[in-house]
Amino acid sequence: MSRGKHHPPRPKPAGSEGFLIAADLKKDRGWTDTQIKAFLPEPDRTARNPFSRKAAPMKLYAMERVESVEETEEFRRAREASRNRQVAARERALEKKKEAVALAHSLELRIVPEPWDEVQAKALEHYNARLRRNQSPAGPRTSQARRDRMSVNYLRHRQTSYEEELKGFKGVVGVGEAYLVVRNRILDLIAQTYPALQAECDRQKFDAPDLPDGVRGL
C-alpha cells in the first residue's frame, strides 16, 4: 500500500528491511491486535526502538511469514469474522444514533417568555458575570449585533430547558447528533418567541457545538 506525501513512512529500526512492525500490519494490511496475538504470537526478531532508547524493543515480523499466514484458511475465516463483527457494531451504533435523534425530535421544549427590555438587560448581566480574562464588559454602547448574541445565549442557558434536556443524553450513543437537533429546535423556539433574534438564531446554528457539563459528543 502506497503512503502519500501526507503520510511519510513510519520510522523503523535500522536493518529491518523485509520486516513489518505491528503498525504496518494494522494500518496497511488490516490486521487487528487479536489477530497478531493469535497468528504471530512471537516476533521473528526485535530491534531497538528508533523513537526512544528507553522504550521497549520493537517487534519485527518477517514479510514472508506474514504472507504465509494470510494465505491460510484459518486466517481468512478469522478476518471475515472480524469484518462481520465490525459491520454489526457499526449497524448497532447507527441504530442507536437514529434512536437518539428521534428522541431529540420528540422532546417537549420549553421557554419562559420575558419582556424584551428585561431580556436585553439580563443578557448583559449574564454575559458580564461570565467574563473571561482579556474580555471587555458589555454595556449600553455595545452594538446591537453583539447584544443579540448575548440575548440568545442568555435565553438558551437560563430561560429554556436546554441544559436539562441535554443531560438526558449523557452517555448515549449519538449524543452529538441529538444535541444538534435539540440546539436547533431551541434556537427556532427563541426566534419564534422573540422575532428580533431570528437572524442571530440562524447564525448560531452554524457555530461549533458547546456541550454543557456532563454531556460529551462522540
Side-chain angles (χ1 to χ4, degrees):
M1 178 179 174
S2 174
R3 300 180 64 80
K5 63 181 181 179
H6 298 298
H7 301 281
R10 303 181 187 95
K12 295 182 181 180
S16 61
E17 293 78 7
F19 290 85
L20 301 174
I21 59 176
D24 296 330
L25 293 171
K26 291 188 287 186
K27 297 295 185 181
D28 297 342
R29 306 181 75 86
W31 285 59
T32 64
D33 287 323
T34 299
Q35 291 165 0
I36 293 174
K37 292 179 181 178
F39 294 96
L40 300 172
E42 296 295 333
D44 292 288
R45 54 175 287 198
T46 61
R48 192 177 72 181
N49 192 305
F51 295 105
S52 172
R53 294 183 178 182
K54 297 181 180 180
M58 297 189 76
K59 298 179 180 180
L60 302 177
Y61 305 91
M63 174 67 80
E64 292 182 0
R65 180 186 174 200
V66 171
E67 292 176 340
S68 178
V69 169
E70 290 176 343
E71 292 176 358
T72 65
E73 186 62 28
E74 185 180 5
F75 180 82
R76 290 172 180 169
R77 287 198 299 268
R79 172 164 285 184
E80 183 65 23
S82 176
R83 289 173 176 168
N84 290 339
R85 287 193 296 271
Q86 292 174 2
V87 170
R90 285 196 292 268
E91 290 178 347
R92 288 194 298 271
L94 180 59
E95 286 303 314
K96 288 184 178 296
K97 288 182 179 181
K98 289 180 179 179
E99 292 173 3
V101 168
L103 177 58
H105 278 294
S106 68
L107 290 173
E108 182 179 353
L109 304 180
R110 305 174 302 280
I111 188 170
V112 181
E114 294 181 312
W116 177 246
D117 290 343
E118 290 186 22
V119 169
Q120 295 273 282
K122 290 182 178 181
L124 290 179
E125 294 177 5
H126 179 254
Y127 175 82
N128 289 333
R130 295 155 56 97
L131 281 179
R132 298 176 182 176
R133 184 178 300 178
N134 298 327
Q135 285 186 316
S136 301
R141 296 185 179 181
T142 299
S143 69
Q144 189 59 50
R146 190 179 175 200
R147 291 170 70 94
D148 287 349
R149 182 164 63 252
M150 295 173 187
S151 296
V152 172
N153 291 339
Y154 161 71
L155 290 166
R156 285 173 58 193
H157 293 286
R158 290 290 180 266
Q159 293 303 100
T160 71
S161 54
Y162 165 84
E163 300 277 357
E164 198 61 34
E165 300 294 357
L166 283 178
K167 288 180 181 178
F169 288 96
K170 182 179 180 180
V172 175
V173 174
V175 64
E177 291 85 349
Y179 163 72
L180 291 177
V181 171
V182 174
R183 182 190 70 170
N184 290 348
R185 287 187 61 205
I186 285 183
L187 287 171
D188 287 339
L189 183 58
I190 292 173
Q192 292 170 10
T193 308
Y194 302 98
L197 297 175
Q198 177 73 60
E200 176 59 23
C201 289
D202 291 342
R203 189 197 66 77
Q204 288 200 18
K205 289 182 180 181
F206 294 93
D207 284 350
D210 55 342
L211 293 172
D213 292 341
V215 179
R216 292 185 179 180
L218 297 179

